Amino acid sequence: MSTDQDLRKQISVRGIAQVENVANIKKDFNRHLHFSLIKDRNVATPRDYFFALADTVRDHLVSRWIRTQQYYYEHDPKRVYYLSLEFYMGRTLSNTMLSLGIQATVDEALYQLGLNIEELEEIEEDAGLGNGGLGRLAACFLDSMATLGIPAYGYGLRYEYGIFKQLIRDGWQVEEPDDWLRFGNPWEKARPEYMLPVNFFGRVVKDENNQSKWIDTTVVFAMPYDTPIPGFRNNIVNSLRLWSAKAENHFHLKFFNDGDYVQAVMDRNLTENITRVLYPNDNIFSGKELRLKQQYFLVAATLQDIIRRFKSSKYGVREAVRIDFDTFPEKVAIQINDTHPSIGIAELMRLLIDVEGLSYDRAWKITVNTFGYTNHTLLPEALERWPVSLLGNMLPRHLEIIYEINQKFLDEVGKKYPKDFDRLRRMSIVEEDGEKRINMAHLAIVGSHVTNGVAALHSRLLVETTFKDFAEFFPGRFQNKTNGITPRRWLMLCNSPLADLITSKIGEAWISDLSKLVELKKFDHDQDFLNSLEEIKGDHKLRVADFIKEEYDITINPNSMYDVHVKRLHEYKRQLLNALHVITLYNRIKADPSAKIVPRTIMFGGKAAPGYHMAKQIIKLINSVATVVNNDPIVGDKLKVVFIENYRVSLAEKITPAADLSEQISTAGTEASGTGNMKFMLNGALTIGTMDGANVEMAEEMGLDNIFIFGMRVEDVNELHAKGYDPKDFISKNKELAQIVEQIDTGFFTPDQPDLLKDVAAALHTNDRFAVCADYESFIKKQDEVSQVYLDRPKWLKMCLHNIASSGKFSTDRTISDYATEIWGITPNEIRLQPPYETPHAEEEKK
Ligand SMILES: *Cc1c(COP(=O)(O)O)cnc(C)c1O
């Protein structure tokens, strides 16, 4: 056994089991099985064991949670409120054990009870309250804010149905509802005593003092559910508060005279539909009324909660001073995750003016200094522009306020740029051409003191293109905050062998300071270390091979390169370009079966928005190609194509550590940041990618020798379109590409229905919006280079090491520290909390 392996046994991120604690865990587990699950071991199911275990682990959070919240109340620090329509949390059990450092103890207890902990962990449903990167970012942020001791709260919606379950039937995507709460959620605590009213519809009247009043509204109640968010081994537990819609109790009482009491009770469902389901769109604005209701429901409930907490601060209560709202931005920072919660800007104005009686100008200053806005995309189809008719009907007072904000804003713009009417038109929050709409990004920029992009390139493009006028008008208002991922979930939890190997070399400081990973660079000639890296990767690859055999009955070659393209299905992410590479390899094998090719297993995974025709066609194409390739005896195990069903957080945790090659191939200028790219880098996969989003900064950190960059840069893409891009120019010049477009067009992969994928072919030869054909040749050349380097094992492994060692920048701990100091005005790592005296067994220990 090598030294590394000896060390791995001693130093484990799972910790060391302690005998007395093992006994306590067993006692607690049995107590929960008996008293909470009301089962004995003769009748208990694996799911009962999962819940008993979850309850046992949760108990260890309770005192820490109460004490953290007590500390915030006592010390009244500035709070951060992270508002998001999505929190893509995934599973919670193993993350909680990891944060508390009780994993090894629980492992041992469960082993002694004769139970398989990994099997129980698999029973937990993912909390799929997000679509993709934006929702997962919010979840990683919560982890880092707790770990950095920032007094933070996540605020979102408790969707009864999260992101749909994706099935693949006959090669097509089929959606099933995600009934994730069916068996109960052990991590949430309902707080009916803190329920709050939210108003909709009605009309606005002026009272005797010419003050606006919003009357005749329909009321819906917001019921909070709290979930604990533990920091990493620091005894801090923050809260995620998710709202659920509840119908009013005395609703329509006076109309019951007509006898339809039963109908009235049934109609409560309509109201409660507000939080029924997550909209399954990623980077697409759908403009549905129910979605606007969700957005307002979130911000209306949350702002009441924030103001209540502000007013009830110890200082305010003790000193009995008049509540001074001018200090609000010194106590409250609200960050909005994209424009989805941006109606909150109008809502805070309404509360300050109509409810608290402040002047417009005071209210505006407070609002702007409180809000920060994070932009997540420049794709025009994703920008939220609500029709005035829709917004004005549901939120008439907010529409008035938005008009007033716009009037005053345009007055200022007019002063700076007299007679520049085109500029006024471009910058208006109210769009007048065509159907009148409210541009929510404009509202968010005008109503926040900082707007940030999520990677350096994206932030530069915000300022230079889409929001150029705003950047000129508000110098200093635009910032960059490059996204990140939490190294706890995305390395320690999903890849503990690699985490242990790293710790054995450089200690465990990297877990809360990921920049420490640079220290690994000095091992790039340490053959034992590189062998250990390869061995760990190989183990993960075997596990994924077993998984694919089990799930899809496809036998893959574990020595092949695992080439992985997992993310939401979207044309800008160019899964189609990768499919063209697959077909290229297939055609080459068929043309010359004896040619030496580097074996690959190419894996795709990702959900298409249910209404996104082209994305669904691309899924069908990939599966049709897979069927042909995987069943062709000439191909053998040189090439396999697997579409992994239902890609989600828990599946990402399985796939990422097994990847050799990470596909990050969006058209330059379209992917704001990406975070999948960072997960793969941290787990020692190499990236093939364009100069887009955070890929640019990844390349900068590791050096161009350690990443496979191809394709057009943003400037090239712009030039191409400016010249008038015709994909046929590229197709006619490349024989392999021409053959493939022909094959898709004539139904080579769907011989029973030759016209089936005509739309995909047309998206290549006629309307190639994301320049797939223009980048094809460069992509294929780079893929050929990837294959050659893969054969050079020492070189490949050294590159893996440099990827891992260069990924320190991409921790959300770094991202959140930057938000804290540069946007929120908060110093991280100031709070120190001791472990609670009260463990679940303190009572017994005292006796
Ligand atoms: C990280 C993650 C994403 C984001 O991936 P990108 O490649 O950045 O689009 C999407 N879905 C899941 C489940 C993730 O874990």
Side-chain angles (χ1 to χ4, degrees), residues 88 132-133 490 566-567 573 647-649 652 664 674-676 679:
Y88 203 170
W490 297 111
V566 287
K567 50 183 73 244
K573 292 175 181 285
Y647 180 62
R648 61 197 187 282
V649 174
Q664 306 299 337
T675 51
K679 296 168 196 166

Side-chain angles (χ1 to χ4, degrees), residues 333-547:
I334 300 176
Q335 193 67 33
I336 57 174
N337 198 18
D338 213 323
T339 55
H340 311 155
S342 59
I343 191 67
I345 289 163
E347 173 69 358
L348 183 57
M349 286 294 284
R350 186 188 71 82
L351 291 169
L352 293 176
I353 296 169
D354 296 357
V355 180
E356 304 295 344
L358 272 64
S359 71
Y360 180 96
D361 289 342
R362 266 183 85 195
W364 183 242
K365 199 170 163 203
I366 293 164
T367 299
V368 171
N369 287 324
T370 298
F371 276 93
Y373 158 51
T374 303
N375 174 282
H376 282 270
T377 183
L378 292 169
L379 287 185
E381 64 266 43
L383 299 178
E384 294 192 299
R385 297 154 59 247
W386 288 107
V388 162
S389 53
L390 185 69
L391 200 147
N393 179 49
M394 189 188 302
L395 303 169
R397 177 62 180 135
H398 297 78
L399 183 60
E400 275 186 11
I401 290 170
I402 290 168
Y403 276 134
E404 195 168 349
I405 292 170
N406 194 42
Q407 185 60 58
K408 290 183 196 281
F409 168 60
L410 292 182
D411 286 349
E412 294 302 311
V413 177
K415 275 187 216 156
K416 190 162 171 185
Y417 303 99
K419 304 230 167 71
D420 190 346
F421 301 112
D422 195 54
R423 183 183 294 263
L424 292 179
R425 183 193 54 76
R426 294 195 308 266
M427 295 183 75
S428 180
I429 297 169
V430 185
E431 296 180 354
E432 311 265 3
D433 43 337
E435 187 183 14
K436 235 176 154 180
R437 289 169 181 271
I438 304 300
N439 185 314
M440 302 308 275
H442 292 186
L443 175 63
I445 293 167
V446 173
S448 307
H449 65 297
V450 174
T451 292
N452 76 280
V454 290
L457 172 66
H458 167 62
S459 297
R460 174 168 77 78
L461 294 176
L462 283 184
V463 162
E464 289 178 359
T465 65
T466 315
F467 302 121
K468 185 167 191 278
D469 295 327
F470 290 87
E472 271 173 36
F473 187 75
F474 295 120
R477 189 170 280 201
F478 286 79
Q479 296 189 12
N480 173 245
K481 294 287 166 282
T482 300
N483 281 168
I485 54 172
T486 169
R488 271 74 64 184
R489 182 175 295 260
W490 297 111
L491 183 54
M492 277 187 96
L493 188 150
C494 72
N495 197 346
S496 62
L498 180 56
D500 287 344
L501 176 65
I502 293 169
T503 299
S504 74
K505 288 293 182 196
I506 63 170
E508 52 179 20
W510 63 269
I511 300 169
S512 36
D513 178 5
L514 204 65
S515 67
K516 289 259 166 14
L517 291 182
V518 288
E519 292 172 19
L520 290 172
K521 284 188 182 169
K522 62 173 176 273
F523 299 105
D524 77 349
H525 285 86
D526 180 335
Q527 203 49 52
D528 278 354
F529 183 70
L530 296 173
N531 289 343
S532 299
L533 276 184
E534 187 165 41
E535 198 183 303
I536 288 165
K537 183 68 75 183
D539 289 347
H540 288 299
K541 289 173 72 174
L542 284 173
R543 284 168 78 107
V544 164
D546 289 345
F547 172 83

Side-chain angles (χ1 to χ4, degrees), residues 673-694:
S673 164
T675 51
N677 46 4
M678 303 167 186
K679 296 168 196 166
F680 287 105
M681 180 184 180
L682 180 60
N683 283 274
L686 304 190
T687 297
I688 182 165
T690 46
M691 277 297 196
D692 198 20

Side-chain angles (χ1 to χ4, degrees), residues 13-45:
V13 292
R14 295 178 85 88
I16 296 160
Q18 287 171 321
V19 178
E20 69 275 30
N21 296 344
V22 170
N24 284 336
I25 297 277
K26 284 164 68 181
K27 218 187 296 177
D28 291 340
F29 179 89
N30 287 324
R31 181 169 50 80
H32 276 298
L33 190 65
H34 186 78
F35 287 102
S36 308
L37 280 302
I38 318 188
K39 287 277 182 91
D40 64 49
R41 296 231 19 201
N42 296 313
V43 292
T45 65

Side-chain angles (χ1 to χ4, degrees), residues 697-713:
E697 290 156 81
M698 285 165 46
E700 189 175 303
E701 293 296 304
M702 70 179 99
L704 285 168
D705 289 352
N706 292 299
I707 185 167
F708 299 99
I709 296 290
F710 75 96
M712 293 182 288
R713 311 302 195 249

Side-chain angles (χ1 to χ4, degrees), residues 541-542 544-560 562 600-603 626 629-631 635-642:
K541 289 173 72 174
L542 284 173
V544 164
D546 289 345
F547 172 83
I548 288 170
K549 182 71 190 168
E550 181 83 14
E551 295 285 318
Y552 311 113
D553 197 26
I554 299 171
T555 305
I556 66 174
N557 172 3
N559 297 316
S560 64
Y562 285 16
R600 291 198 192 212
T601 301
I602 304 181
M603 301 178 207
V629 169
N630 297 346
N631 295 300
V635 176
D637 69 356
K638 288 182 197 157
L639 182 61
K640 284 280 180 286
V641 183
V642 184

Side-chain angles (χ1 to χ4, degrees), residues 565 574-581 618 621 744 760 763-764 772:
H565 200 172
R574 296 202 295 192
Q575 283 92 355
L576 181 53
L577 177 58
N578 198 13
L580 299 188
H581 177 240
I618 292 169
L621 171 70
I744 297 172
V760 178
L764 289 168
V772 170

